[in-house]
Amino acid sequence: MTVFAQPASLKRPAVREHYEDTILNPVDLVNHADLLDAQVLQSLRDLFPSERAQLWGVTPGVGEANLPQIRKMRAGDVVFFSGNKRLYLVGTVALTWHNPALAHRLWGVDEKTDQTWEYMYALTGVRGIDFPMEEIRSLLSWKPKRNVQGFVALHETDGAILTDLVGFDDSAQGSPPPGPKDPSPPPFGPSDAAAAAQRRAEQGPLKKALLPGAEGECALCGRTLPRAFLVAAHIKKRAACSEEERWDLNNVAMLACLLGCDSLFEHGFVTVEEGGLLAVSPVAAGAPAVAKYIDEHLAGKSIAWWSTEREKYYAWHRSHTFQRGALTPDQVNT
């Protein structure tokens, strides 16, 4: 899986219009069947039974500078949209194809380059996020003024950090299976070893603070369960926490059960609103077994673990991990 950064500043009127026309309002494929190759149209219909899809595209660039990056993109890759000094949207690539005529119909041409966004892709699992660039620079150890300047495949490590923060599961994104296992994997580097040691140092006190006895209560579903079925789950992803936050043992984490609640929170199917009411992502409805579990164990819950001291961590989860739909330009611009 490759992770891409897609510049798309909604402060630019043309970009805002394109975003509203083909992301906020999915494209009706039937209306454009005349310009779609038969094989591409069938693939889109197979992927999107409603025959409506969220589409975006990339221009060739001056001197075809974008082509080396574009040629890396495959179904299952992840794209982060960048603009307004933040990453504000993420989705998974469902299909890629080349179609200048359709791109011209949907988006016209870029006045600066006289090119259209002809290298097209359809997205699935689109969700709004709020990652300020200051936070991205810190997390990825970028230089203080670095921004996403062009359509680009991110370094593998940077992509892994970002997808982990939004709760993407590589195996669920359509990525190809891994190749043969290297019988002699490289050892941890110094930074990896230090990070692993730090996590181990934190985990003991963290779990002891949350679960001093043989049983504990899941913060989400409220069931009392044996210790083996509960984990100390970070409300705000550990990788995004400051050193002070990582040791805020009474607030940065919560007990979550391994019977479903931990994974649902980790992957953004549920979150906790300010005040403690549990919120359910609209994407849960597309997974009947998930929706059934939520309906039986979580729907309508008021989370007693929520507090004003923990709210900043829950607020981070809502803006970074919770699976909500694409944000409106006004929501991104605030």
Side-chain angles (χ1 to χ4, degrees):
M1 179 186 73
T2 304
V3 177
F4 292 87
Q6 170 72 72
S9 174
L10 298 179
K11 291 183 178 179
R12 292 179 57 194
V15 176
R16 181 184 179 118
E17 182 180 353
H18 299 171
Y19 179 82
E20 291 175 340
D21 288 347
T22 65
I23 295 292
L24 282 183
N25 298 291
V27 175
D28 190 332
L29 302 175
V30 174
N31 292 341
H32 304 287
D34 59 314
L35 294 184
L36 282 162
D37 174 83
Q39 184 175 351
V40 171
L41 178 59
Q42 186 58 54
S43 295
L44 287 168
R45 283 173 166 163
D46 291 342
L47 290 163
F48 302 96
S50 67
E51 299 199 5
R52 292 171 59 80
Q54 292 166 297
L55 306 183
W56 204 252
V58 182
T59 66
V62 178
E64 299 189 333
N66 289 332
L67 294 191
Q69 300 296 317
I70 292 166
R71 288 169 177 154
K72 297 176 184 178
M73 182 177 277
R74 300 288 186 273
D77 290 341
V78 174
V79 183
F80 285 86
F81 279 49
S82 169
N84 306 63
K85 299 181 180 180
R86 65 194 65 247
L87 301 183
Y88 65 86
L89 191 82
V90 61
T92 303
V93 177
L95 188 71
T96 66
W97 70 99
H98 183 223
N99 193 321
L102 178 56
H104 192 279
R105 176 186 285 179
L106 292 174
W107 302 307
V109 297
D110 184 349
E111 293 180 355
K112 293 181 179 180
T113 64
D114 199 33
Q115 295 178 340
T116 191
W117 295 265
E118 60 198 76
Y119 292 93
M120 302 182 66
Y121 57 92
L123 289 167
T124 187
V126 171
R127 68 173 93 163
I129 54 175
D130 185 10
F131 283 36
M133 286 308 300
E134 293 88 344
E135 183 178 3
I136 297 301
R137 295 184 190 110
S138 175
L139 288 171
L140 305 184
S141 299
W142 285 3
K143 293 181 179 179
K145 294 185 179 180
R146 180 175 172 182
N147 283 305
V148 177
Q149 300 292 349
F151 177 77
V152 63
L154 296 177
H155 186 277
E156 183 178 356
T157 302
D158 291 350
I161 291 172
L162 290 180
T163 53
D164 178 66
L165 289 176
V166 297
F168 270 69
D169 179 0
D170 291 5
S171 64
Q173 302 307 315
S175 53
K181 187 175 181 181
D182 183 350
S184 302
F188 278 160
S191 61
D192 295 327
Q198 180 71 357
R199 285 194 294 271
R200 287 195 296 270
E202 294 164 16
Q203 276 302 309
L206 183 59
K207 190 154 187 180
K208 185 175 181 180
L210 296 175
L211 186 57
E215 291 184 332
E217 183 179 290
C218 174
L220 296 176
C221 68
R223 289 176 290 185
T224 298
L225 296 164
R227 185 183 187 90
F229 293 92
L230 295 162
V231 294
H234 277 80
I235 299 168
K236 178 179 180 179
K237 293 274 188 176
R238 181 193 177 279
C241 289
S242 66
E243 189 69 13
E244 181 181 358
E245 288 173 335
R246 289 174 183 173
W247 289 100
D248 186 10
L249 303 182
N250 292 320
N251 297 308
V252 74
M254 63 183 179
L255 286 180
C257 73
L258 294 172
L259 303 181
C261 293
D262 177 55
S263 291
L264 290 172
F265 190 81
E266 174 80 9
H267 296 295
F269 283 89
V270 298
T271 194
V272 178
E273 298 283 10
E274 185 171 5
L277 187 65
L278 185 133
V280 180
S281 167
V283 304
V290 171
K292 183 174 185 292
Y293 179 91
I294 293 173
D295 185 59
E296 291 178 350
H297 299 288
L298 298 174
K301 288 277 187 181
S302 181
I303 307 305
W305 190 249
W306 181 89
S307 68
T308 54
E309 294 78 15
R310 296 169 185 138
E311 165 57 20
K312 66 176 182 178
Y313 301 120
Y314 283 114
W316 187 95
H317 183 270
R318 292 195 299 271
S319 65
H320 290 68
T321 304
F322 183 57
Q323 295 199 45
R324 48 188 174 156
L327 303 178
T328 67
D330 288 341
Q331 288 175 314
V332 175
N333 288 333
T334 55

